Amino acid sequence: MRYRSFPRIPGLPVSVLGFGCMRLPVVGGDLKQIDEAPARTLLRQGIDRGINYVDTAYPYHGGESEPFVGRALKDGYRDKVLLATKLPVWLAQTEADWERLLDEQLQRLDTDHIDFYLLHALGAARWETVLRLRGLPAMERALADGRIRHLGFSFHDALQVFKPIVDGYDWEFCQIQFNFMDEGYQAGLEGLDYAAARGVGVIAMEPLRGGTLAAEQPPDVQRIWARSPVPRTAAAWALQWVWDHPGVVTALSGMNADLQLQENLAAAAGARPGGLATEELALVDEVREFYAARIRVPCTTCGYCAPCPNGVAIPETFASYNTGSMFANWKAAAFAYGAFVAGPGHGADKCEDCGACEPKCPQQIDIPARLKEAHEALTVHPV
Ligand code: SF4
Ligand code: SF4
């Protein structure tokens, strides 16, 4: 295992591979029923092999991830790791809620402190909530009394929202979606460089894009990878590309099988910033182009069309649709759309064709029509 440090937390080694506890083994396909024994074994094996960053969040596994992590880190494992969880900003309605939620999370995790505490999934609206309800002073009280050790945020919104949030507080770290297919998605590569230039270390989430970059690749992609003199699995290519960026401190992978853990650990042993040769980076470019040619809607997820008066998550809907078509993985795309977009009430079925979004789109996408098409592909009869 290799280790890096956050620029503002020097001297604290963090494993380049972090264990994400949002895709643990479950019983009978029920996300709320974590298969305790194998999940605990997997997590502890990862820690025994050098992983020291464990990431969870209040809503993962329908609220069961935090209590599971608390139990799994018994028998001395809690002291071996930096424990990270995220404050569910959307549940804060009064100024008193910040500390109430933190104390509830400490109880669920059965610990007296959280090493890395993130304001979860900040975007424009949630950042406004944090400021309006004085969330930052509440976090500073928790830092002062030791309930949390380091403060950061995770992010899901457009790049132009990311920059003011980075500049809005003296963050020690932040967490963004980052993989070789998402250089321009949300914060993306420009956001990574922006944060890193300001001394804010970055945690990369979804380095394998929900597993799609690690699954069996189409024959054309396999042929591109096979031209490399250095043999790597698809997962290792994706991870090494993320670690190639020195601004990335750790990459989180939600592992649920021993094979994934072993594969990721093997890749982490070779993680180096600037570790990919020019010819190897050219192969990554070829693979990216292969997948990009299969994009159905030319949405750059710039977010200019937001907000929709009916709450439709336009860029997220198109992102799910494009994931389905790029990787021919409609199952993963439909799952992401159902769980994170349509399920919480932001699906394309809420579109009333008012036309407000269309003139704002620099890509001149016929948004209402393409939303209908996307929703159908992701729900009615996945292609
Ligand atoms: S056309 Fe549909 S998606 Fe666009 S703003 Fe109106 S309701 Fe929202
Ligand atoms: S639909 Fe257009 S405006 Fe909206 S996020 Fe995509 S590219 Fe940007």
Side-chain angles (χ1 to χ4, degrees):
M1 179 60 64
R2 288 176 184 261
Y3 298 85
R4 298 181 184 178
S5 292
F6 292 96
R8 292 193 179 147
I9 320 171
L12 182 67
V14 178
S15 55
V16 293
L17 179 65
F19 202 117
C21 296
M22 81 296 270
R23 292 193 184 93
L24 296 162
V26 294
V27 179
D30 179 357
L31 277 180
K32 290 185 80 168
Q33 276 201 59
I34 297 170
D35 202 353
E36 185 97 7
R40 182 178 59 235
T41 301
L42 199 65
L43 177 58
R44 290 185 176 184
Q45 275 179 357
I47 297 168
D48 291 341
R49 297 277 303 275
I51 292 175
N52 75 348
Y53 190 95
V54 175
D55 171 84
T56 181
Y58 190 92
Y60 289 173
H61 284 283
E64 294 303 317
S65 178
E66 284 185 334
F68 161 78
V69 170
R71 293 189 296 274
L73 293 181
K74 297 287 177 207
D75 304 325
Y77 280 86
R78 174 67 186 90
D79 295 336
K80 296 178 183 179
V81 299
L82 300 163
L83 177 56
T85 195
K86 311 182 191 78
L87 193 160
V89 174
W90 56 93
L91 295 181
Q93 292 179 340
T94 70
E95 290 188 22
D97 284 339
W98 305 110
E99 302 212 30
R100 179 184 64 73
L101 287 162
L102 168 58
D103 290 338
E104 184 186 342
Q105 289 180 282
L106 288 166
Q107 273 189 2
R108 286 155 63 119
L109 287 160
D110 199 9
T111 185
D112 63 357
H113 72 279
I114 292 160
D115 298 286
F116 284 75
Y117 199 43
L118 300 89
L119 303 181
H120 198 171
L122 287 192
R126 288 183 189 158
W127 180 230
E128 188 276 328
T129 302
V130 170
L131 297 177
R132 181 170 45 82
L133 295 180
R134 298 182 48 75
L136 294 170
M139 293 300 101
E140 286 178 344
R141 287 193 293 278
L143 282 164
D145 65 27
R147 279 175 295 165
I148 63 177
R149 299 286 160 85
H150 304 288
L151 180 63
F153 68 94
S154 66
F155 182 79
H156 286 289
D157 204 335
L159 175 65
Q160 72 265 22
V161 177
F162 180 72
K163 293 181 179 180
I165 295 177
V166 169
D167 294 333
Y169 186 71
D170 206 9
W171 305 105
E172 294 180 282
F173 65 101
C174 66
Q175 183 168 314
I176 63 172
Q177 177 160 334
F178 193 61
N179 59 66
F180 73 76
M181 287 307 301
D182 286 328
E183 275 187 328
Y185 181 63
Q186 296 185 348
L189 183 56
E190 190 176 334
L192 169 71
D193 290 343
Y194 190 87
R198 285 152 185 78
V200 181
V202 173
I203 297 168
M205 60 180 148
E206 301 291 4
L208 302 175
R209 216 171 191 271
T212 47
L213 298 178
E216 189 177 341
Q217 306 292 291
D220 286 346
V221 170
Q222 291 181 25
R223 278 192 282 277
I224 296 170
W225 291 143
R227 299 203 329 257
S228 168
V230 181
R232 289 189 182 89
T233 62
W237 274 108
L239 286 167
Q240 184 52 55
W241 183 88
V242 170
W243 289 320
D244 205 55
H245 298 79
V248 171
V249 176
T250 185
L252 303 178
S253 181
M255 296 166 273
N256 58 25
D258 189 54
L259 191 63
Q260 289 171 3
L261 174 66
Q262 302 308 333
E263 192 176 3
N264 290 352
L265 286 167
R272 282 189 296 126
L276 289 175
T278 310
E279 307 75 48
E280 293 175 301
L281 288 169
L283 295 179
V284 177
D285 289 343
E286 272 190 58
V287 171
R288 184 187 299 113
E289 281 163 24
F290 172 88
Y291 285 129
R294 281 150 184 77
I295 282 174
R296 292 261 173 100
V297 181
C299 172
T300 61
T301 67
C302 66
Y304 294 149
C305 52
C308 158
N310 290 320
V312 178
I314 300 168
E316 289 81 1
T317 299
F318 289 146
S320 292
Y321 187 34
N322 285 333
T323 292
S325 64
M326 273 193 289
F327 300 100
N329 192 342
W330 291 99
K331 197 172 157 206
F335 173 81
Y337 180 67
F340 305 117
V341 184
H346 304 296
D349 52 330
K350 296 283 187 293
C351 173
E352 291 185 1
D353 215 347
C354 73
C357 53
E358 223 177 309
K360 299 187 215 158
C361 177
Q363 306 302 321
Q364 299 177 325
I365 296 167
D366 178 356
I367 295 176
R370 304 306 303 271
L371 282 175
K372 280 192 193 77
E373 175 190 319
H375 187 75
E376 187 154 319
L378 292 163
T379 55
V380 184
H381 19 220
V383 186

